[in-house]
Each structure stands twice: as structure tokens, then as C-alpha cells.
Amino acid sequence: MNFLEFLAQYRTEWADIFFQIITYLAQEAFVIVVICWLYWCSNKKLAYTLGFSYFTSGLLVQGLKITFRVPRPWILNPDFHPVESAVSGATGYSFPSGHTQSCTSLFGTLCFYTKKNFIRILCGLMIFLIGFSRMYLGCHTPQDVLVSFGVSILCTYLSYYLLYKKELLNGKEKITSVCMALVCLFLVLYTLILYKGGTIELKYASDCVKAAGAGMAFSIGYYIEKTHLNFKAPETTKGKVIRFIVGLSVTLALQTGLKPLIGTSLPASFMRYFLVVAWAVILYPLLFTRKKS
């Protein structure tokens, strides 16, 4: 808290705007857009790597959040005031940082992937800036950010090493999918136990089951695509843009449209995120798939 209070002394209107923009680059929607572009239109192998990094680290971070249940800084110290515009995006418990997890998965994967030092430095700078922005805005303590970075960079490196660099999981799609699905199931059960026991509120449990629903759909989609589908990226730029715009439009429509239709209960939250990711990784690719011979 002392560090956050120190930073708060040097806030300015322009710095508030700058770091609010920076922190948007770690929002769930931005990472999903990147994954969708890579998966549908560019580099499916890299999309899998980023997807596993993002979803596995997200599951772990959500599990840690409801285990330690650390309140946000302004709840820990009522005299501390965060940047007001950042509060609405600060959902769930404080420890560890979800935004740090997202940006580390995204920019960490790109850092491991690229061979250009300039891009690597830029990716490292983005991780630093987004992590710092969470502290500047008053949403997270240094502990929240550092632990999230450690967990996420480990997941990112393992995903890159196993899926992209060494391809050690090739031919092991079933066991990979089952393992991830079991992690999702464990998080759901753990969340329900805490929620039914009155340990956590609905809003905190909801974040966990959303992560589990998305991770479950991704794990199933990974297996189905690797073993039964064979879709290719369009050869022309125009084809890529059309495929991306159509797919993303439906994805966003499902993301926003399902909520008022099926509600916000825990089963509904799980199903909503499951269906959105299932559309992206299974149903939409079916439209442009050629069966494997």
C-alpha cells in the first residue's frame, strides 16, 4: 500500500488517461481478438500456444484469487483512492492481477515467438507498462502484479516450449485436452464449494466459472480441430479480413447477446463463455473445413 500511496502523489490528468489506455491492452476482449485473428487467418499453431498460455494462466490466477481472497486496495485502506475511471474494470479479488496475467500471456508468447530483438524489447516494455499501470491506477499492489507475472510467464514458457518450439504435445491431443478439461472441472467444483459454503460471493464465483467455461471449450476445440478438422487460412488479404470480421462479429454478438437471454447464474455464466469460445474454435471453423483424408 505504501508504494501505491507514493504513486498517487504524482498522478496527473494526462498520466491517468495514458495508463488507462495502456491497461485496456490487457482486457479480455483485446486478447481474444488477437487469438481469433491468429487462429482463423494467420498462424494456427501460434494461436494454440497463446490460447493455452492465456487460458491455463487464467484458470490458475482465478483459483488463487478465491483461495486468498485479498480485497482491493481501496477496501484494505478506505482512505486510499484509485483513479475513478479504472474501478469499473477492476472486478474480482485483488491478488493476483488478472490484467497482468492477460498481458503476460499475450506479449510473453509474442516475445518467445519473435526473432527480432526490437519486438522482444517492445513486448517486455508492454508487460512492464501494463503491470505498472495497474499499480498507478490504484487497482493492484506490487505483490498482486509480481505473483501474477510469475505464474503467467511460467505458463507462457511451458506452452511455447511444449506446443511451438519442441512440439512435444503433437500426437497427444487427447491427453492434453483431458488434462485441461479436468483443471476446468476442478476449478468449477472448488468454486461451488466456496460459494455454497458462503465463503465467496456470487460475483467472485462468476469470474471463476467464466474462466472454466472458456477453458473447457478451448480444450475440447483443440482436440476436435487437431484430430478432425483441417481448415486453412485464406490465401488473400481480402479473404482473411472477411473471415475475421464475420467471425468476430458473431463472437461479440454471442458475448453480449447471450447474457440477457440465459441470465447471470453460475451455470449460465459457464455456458455463455463455453458457447462463445466453442463458436470461435469449433463451430465457425466448420464452415470452412475440409475433411482430413
Side-chain angles (χ1 to χ4, degrees), residues 46-62:
L46 184 59
Y48 283 136
T49 304
L50 174 56
F52 271 104
S53 169
Y54 177 69
F55 288 115
T56 55
S57 61
L59 291 167
L60 289 174
V61 164
Q62 288 299 327

PDB file of all heavy atoms in Angstrom, residues 46-62:
ATOM      1  N   LEU A  46       0.548 -20.858 -33.552  1.00  0.00           N
ATOM      2  CA  LEU A  46       0.808 -19.798 -32.569  1.00  0.00           C
ATOM      3  C   LEU A  46      -0.454 -19.476 -31.778  1.00  0.00           C
ATOM      4  O   LEU A  46      -0.383 -19.167 -30.587  1.00  0.00           O
ATOM      5  CB  LEU A  46       1.323 -18.546 -33.279  1.00  0.00           C
ATOM      6  CG  LEU A  46       1.735 -17.374 -32.379  1.00  0.00           C
ATOM      7  CD1 LEU A  46       2.837 -17.795 -31.413  1.00  0.00           C
ATOM      8  CD2 LEU A  46       2.182 -16.183 -33.220  1.00  0.00           C
ATOM      9  N   ALA A  47      -1.611 -19.556 -32.434  1.00  0.00           N
ATOM     10  CA  ALA A  47      -2.879 -19.321 -31.737  1.00  0.00           C
ATOM     11  C   ALA A  47      -3.088 -20.350 -30.628  1.00  0.00           C
ATOM     12  O   ALA A  47      -3.553 -20.009 -29.528  1.00  0.00           O
ATOM     13  CB  ALA A  47      -4.038 -19.371 -32.730  1.00  0.00           C
ATOM     14  N   TYR A  48      -2.774 -21.606 -30.904  1.00  0.00           N
ATOM     15  CA  TYR A  48      -2.879 -22.634 -29.869  1.00  0.00           C
ATOM     16  C   TYR A  48      -1.946 -22.311 -28.703  1.00  0.00           C
ATOM     17  O   TYR A  48      -2.310 -22.444 -27.532  1.00  0.00           O
ATOM     18  CB  TYR A  48      -2.498 -23.998 -30.433  1.00  0.00           C
ATOM     19  CG  TYR A  48      -3.561 -24.651 -31.273  1.00  0.00           C
ATOM     20  CD1 TYR A  48      -3.231 -25.261 -32.487  1.00  0.00           C
ATOM     21  CD2 TYR A  48      -4.877 -24.681 -30.861  1.00  0.00           C
ATOM     22  CE1 TYR A  48      -4.199 -25.877 -33.270  1.00  0.00           C
ATOM     23  CE2 TYR A  48      -5.852 -25.294 -31.631  1.00  0.00           C
ATOM     24  CZ  TYR A  48      -5.508 -25.883 -32.837  1.00  0.00           C
ATOM     25  OH  TYR A  48      -6.475 -26.481 -33.598  1.00  0.00           O
ATOM     26  N   THR A  49      -0.736 -21.904 -29.017  1.00  0.00           N
ATOM     27  CA  THR A  49       0.242 -21.582 -27.982  1.00  0.00           C
ATOM     28  C   THR A  49      -0.257 -20.451 -27.101  1.00  0.00           C
ATOM     29  O   THR A  49      -0.219 -20.539 -25.870  1.00  0.00           O
ATOM     30  CB  THR A  49       1.586 -21.194 -28.628  1.00  0.00           C
ATOM     31  OG1 THR A  49       2.025 -22.242 -29.484  1.00  0.00           O
ATOM     32  CG2 THR A  49       2.644 -20.940 -27.565  1.00  0.00           C
ATOM     33  N   LEU A  50      -0.731 -19.392 -27.730  1.00  0.00           N
ATOM     34  CA  LEU A  50      -1.267 -18.254 -26.980  1.00  0.00           C
ATOM     35  C   LEU A  50      -2.513 -18.661 -26.204  1.00  0.00           C
ATOM     36  O   LEU A  50      -2.694 -18.256 -25.051  1.00  0.00           O
ATOM     37  CB  LEU A  50      -1.576 -17.107 -27.937  1.00  0.00           C
ATOM     38  CG  LEU A  50      -2.286 -15.883 -27.340  1.00  0.00           C
ATOM     39  CD1 LEU A  50      -1.504 -15.314 -26.158  1.00  0.00           C
ATOM     40  CD2 LEU A  50      -2.485 -14.815 -28.412  1.00  0.00           C
ATOM     41  N   GLY A  51      -3.369 -19.469 -26.813  1.00  0.00           N
ATOM     42  CA  GLY A  51      -4.592 -19.895 -26.149  1.00  0.00           C
ATOM     43  C   GLY A  51      -4.316 -20.694 -24.892  1.00  0.00           C
ATOM     44  O   GLY A  51      -4.910 -20.444 -23.833  1.00  0.00           O
ATOM     45  N   PHE A  52      -3.410 -21.648 -24.984  1.00  0.00           N
ATOM     46  CA  PHE A  52      -3.083 -22.448 -23.804  1.00  0.00           C
ATOM     47  C   PHE A  52      -2.435 -21.594 -22.731  1.00  0.00           C
ATOM     48  O   PHE A  52      -2.712 -21.747 -21.535  1.00  0.00           O
ATOM     49  CB  PHE A  52      -2.161 -23.615 -24.182  1.00  0.00           C
ATOM     50  CG  PHE A  52      -2.910 -24.847 -24.590  1.00  0.00           C
ATOM     51  CD1 PHE A  52      -3.003 -25.209 -25.927  1.00  0.00           C
ATOM     52  CD2 PHE A  52      -3.530 -25.646 -23.649  1.00  0.00           C
ATOM     53  CE1 PHE A  52      -3.701 -26.340 -26.317  1.00  0.00           C
ATOM     54  CE2 PHE A  52      -4.241 -26.784 -24.027  1.00  0.00           C
ATOM     55  CZ  PHE A  52      -4.325 -27.134 -25.363  1.00  0.00           C
ATOM     56  N   SER A  53      -1.564 -20.675 -23.129  1.00  0.00           N
ATOM     57  CA  SER A  53      -0.936 -19.773 -22.165  1.00  0.00           C
ATOM     58  C   SER A  53      -1.986 -18.927 -21.459  1.00  0.00           C
ATOM     59  O   SER A  53      -1.996 -18.817 -20.225  1.00  0.00           O
ATOM     60  CB  SER A  53       0.067 -18.864 -22.890  1.00  0.00           C
ATOM     61  OG  SER A  53       0.506 -17.822 -22.042  1.00  0.00           O
ATOM     62  N   TYR A  54      -2.885 -18.349 -22.248  1.00  0.00           N
ATOM     63  CA  TYR A  54      -3.890 -17.436 -21.700  1.00  0.00           C
ATOM     64  C   TYR A  54      -4.894 -18.162 -20.806  1.00  0.00           C
ATOM     65  O   TYR A  54      -5.188 -17.717 -19.690  1.00  0.00           O
ATOM     66  CB  TYR A  54      -4.621 -16.742 -22.854  1.00  0.00           C
ATOM     67  CG  TYR A  54      -5.729 -15.822 -22.425  1.00  0.00           C
ATOM     68  CD1 TYR A  54      -5.457 -14.628 -21.765  1.00  0.00           C
ATOM     69  CD2 TYR A  54      -7.070 -16.148 -22.681  1.00  0.00           C
ATOM     70  CE1 TYR A  54      -6.477 -13.782 -21.369  1.00  0.00           C
ATOM     71  CE2 TYR A  54      -8.092 -15.305 -22.290  1.00  0.00           C
ATOM     72  CZ  TYR A  54      -7.787 -14.126 -21.640  1.00  0.00           C
ATOM     73  OH  TYR A  54      -8.807 -13.293 -21.252  1.00  0.00           O
ATOM     74  N   PHE A  55      -5.410 -19.290 -21.272  1.00  0.00           N
ATOM     75  CA  PHE A  55      -6.454 -19.979 -20.513  1.00  0.00           C
ATOM     76  C   PHE A  55      -5.904 -20.704 -19.288  1.00  0.00           C
ATOM     77  O   PHE A  55      -6.537 -20.704 -18.230  1.00  0.00           O
ATOM     78  CB  PHE A  55      -7.223 -20.940 -21.415  1.00  0.00           C
ATOM     79  CG  PHE A  55      -8.118 -20.242 -22.398  1.00  0.00           C
ATOM     80  CD1 PHE A  55      -7.886 -20.331 -23.759  1.00  0.00           C
ATOM     81  CD2 PHE A  55      -9.188 -19.472 -21.969  1.00  0.00           C
ATOM     82  CE1 PHE A  55      -8.698 -19.686 -24.678  1.00  0.00           C
ATOM     83  CE2 PHE A  55     -10.015 -18.819 -22.872  1.00  0.00           C
ATOM     84  CZ  PHE A  55      -9.769 -18.918 -24.231  1.00  0.00           C
ATOM     85  N   THR A  56      -4.752 -21.341 -19.397  1.00  0.00           N
ATOM     86  CA  THR A  56      -4.206 -22.045 -18.228  1.00  0.00           C
ATOM     87  C   THR A  56      -3.786 -21.067 -17.134  1.00  0.00           C
ATOM     88  O   THR A  56      -4.073 -21.288 -15.955  1.00  0.00           O
ATOM     89  CB  THR A  56      -3.011 -22.929 -18.613  1.00  0.00           C
ATOM     90  OG1 THR A  56      -2.016 -22.145 -19.287  1.00  0.00           O
ATOM     91  CG2 THR A  56      -3.438 -24.073 -19.504  1.00  0.00           C
ATOM     92  N   SER A  57      -3.118 -19.985 -17.521  1.00  0.00           N
ATOM     93  CA  SER A  57      -2.725 -18.995 -16.511  1.00  0.00           C
ATOM     94  C   SER A  57      -3.962 -18.330 -15.915  1.00  0.00           C
ATOM     95  O   SER A  57      -4.002 -18.024 -14.715  1.00  0.00           O
ATOM     96  CB  SER A  57      -1.785 -17.942 -17.116  1.00  0.00           C
ATOM     97  OG  SER A  57      -2.403 -17.221 -18.161  1.00  0.00           O
ATOM     98  N   GLY A  58      -4.989 -18.122 -16.740  1.00  0.00           N
ATOM     99  CA  GLY A  58      -6.228 -17.539 -16.229  1.00  0.00           C
ATOM    100  C   GLY A  58      -6.904 -18.426 -15.206  1.00  0.00           C
ATOM    101  O   GLY A  58      -7.425 -17.950 -14.186  1.00  0.00           O
ATOM    102  N   LEU A  59      -6.916 -19.727 -15.455  1.00  0.00           N
ATOM    103  CA  LEU A  59      -7.507 -20.670 -14.503  1.00  0.00           C
ATOM    104  C   LEU A  59      -6.749 -20.647 -13.173  1.00  0.00           C
ATOM    105  O   LEU A  59      -7.355 -20.645 -12.096  1.00  0.00           O
ATOM    106  CB  LEU A  59      -7.487 -22.081 -15.093  1.00  0.00           C
ATOM    107  CG  LEU A  59      -8.419 -22.327 -16.284  1.00  0.00           C
ATOM    108  CD1 LEU A  59      -8.066 -23.659 -16.956  1.00  0.00           C
ATOM    109  CD2 LEU A  59      -9.885 -22.317 -15.861  1.00  0.00           C
ATOM    110  N   LEU A  60      -5.420 -20.617 -13.258  1.00  0.00           N
ATOM    111  CA  LEU A  60      -4.612 -20.603 -12.034  1.00  0.00           C
ATOM    112  C   LEU A  60      -4.812 -19.310 -11.253  1.00  0.00           C
ATOM    113  O   LEU A  60      -4.948 -19.328 -10.021  1.00  0.00           O
ATOM    114  CB  LEU A  60      -3.134 -20.779 -12.391  1.00  0.00           C
ATOM    115  CG  LEU A  60      -2.730 -22.167 -12.879  1.00  0.00           C
ATOM    116  CD1 LEU A  60      -1.275 -22.167 -13.339  1.00  0.00           C
ATOM    117  CD2 LEU A  60      -2.928 -23.205 -11.782  1.00  0.00           C
ATOM    118  N   VAL A  61      -4.825 -18.194 -11.965  1.00  0.00           N
ATOM    119  CA  VAL A  61      -4.999 -16.898 -11.292  1.00  0.00           C
ATOM    120  C   VAL A  61      -6.369 -16.811 -10.629  1.00  0.00           C
ATOM    121  O   VAL A  61      -6.493 -16.341  -9.488  1.00  0.00           O
ATOM    122  CB  VAL A  61      -4.789 -15.746 -12.296  1.00  0.00           C
ATOM    123  CG1 VAL A  61      -5.348 -14.430 -11.742  1.00  0.00           C
ATOM    124  CG2 VAL A  61      -3.305 -15.579 -12.610  1.00  0.00           C
ATOM    125  N   GLN A  62      -7.407 -17.279 -11.313  1.00  0.00           N
ATOM    126  CA  GLN A  62      -8.735 -17.260 -10.715  1.00  0.00           C
ATOM    127  C   GLN A  62      -8.794 -18.160  -9.482  1.00  0.00           C
ATOM    128  O   GLN A  62      -9.442 -17.821  -8.482  1.00  0.00           O
ATOM    129  CB  GLN A  62      -9.793 -17.690 -11.734  1.00  0.00           C
ATOM    130  CG  GLN A  62     -10.071 -16.672 -12.814  1.00  0.00           C
ATOM    131  CD  GLN A  62     -10.594 -15.360 -12.262  1.00  0.00           C
ATOM    132  OE1 GLN A  62     -11.306 -15.329 -11.262  1.00  0.00           O
ATOM    133  NE2 GLN A  62     -10.241 -14.267 -12.916  1.00  0.00           N
TER     134      GLN A  62
END
